[in-house]
Amino acid sequence: MDVVGREDVPPRVRAAVLLAMGRPTEEIGPEVGVSGRTVRRWRAEREFRSDVRRVRLRLLDGAAASLRGGRVR
């Protein structure tokens, strides 16, 4: 997902993508322009955890489609 480096995408969304990709929490804050404490606070929120799960599922769907040679649903 190429939203990570885009400045027009909110830091919270970029953080969710990075977490879904398995990046360590302590690296995410500086990369998206917030403190590590902010990322830890977001991780404590149920809605944010749901967002991370949705991104992770989309990443897995994309990987599976790629292996099948097909398109992502």
Side-chain angles (χ1 to χ4, degrees):
M1 300 190 104
D2 60 354
V3 301
V4 175
R6 292 181 47 183
E7 295 297 320
D8 60 325
V9 177
R12 189 175 168 106
V13 173
R14 292 167 50 209
V17 171
L18 290 168
L19 282 168
M21 293 170 63
R23 293 284 298 278
T25 302
E26 57 274 0
E27 291 179 10
I28 294 172
E31 185 160 339
V32 301
V34 300
S35 71
R37 183 177 180 186
T38 297
V39 177
R40 287 189 297 276
R41 191 178 72 242
W42 289 341
R43 286 189 75 169
E45 298 173 9
R46 181 179 302 194
E47 182 180 349
F48 185 75
R49 289 192 309 267
S50 293
D51 291 342
V52 172
R53 277 191 293 277
R54 276 192 293 277
V55 171
R56 190 172 287 134
L57 288 173
R58 289 202 56 190
L59 290 169
L60 289 171
D61 283 348
S66 178
L67 290 172
R68 289 191 307 267
R71 292 177 49 137
V72 178
R73 295 185 250 159

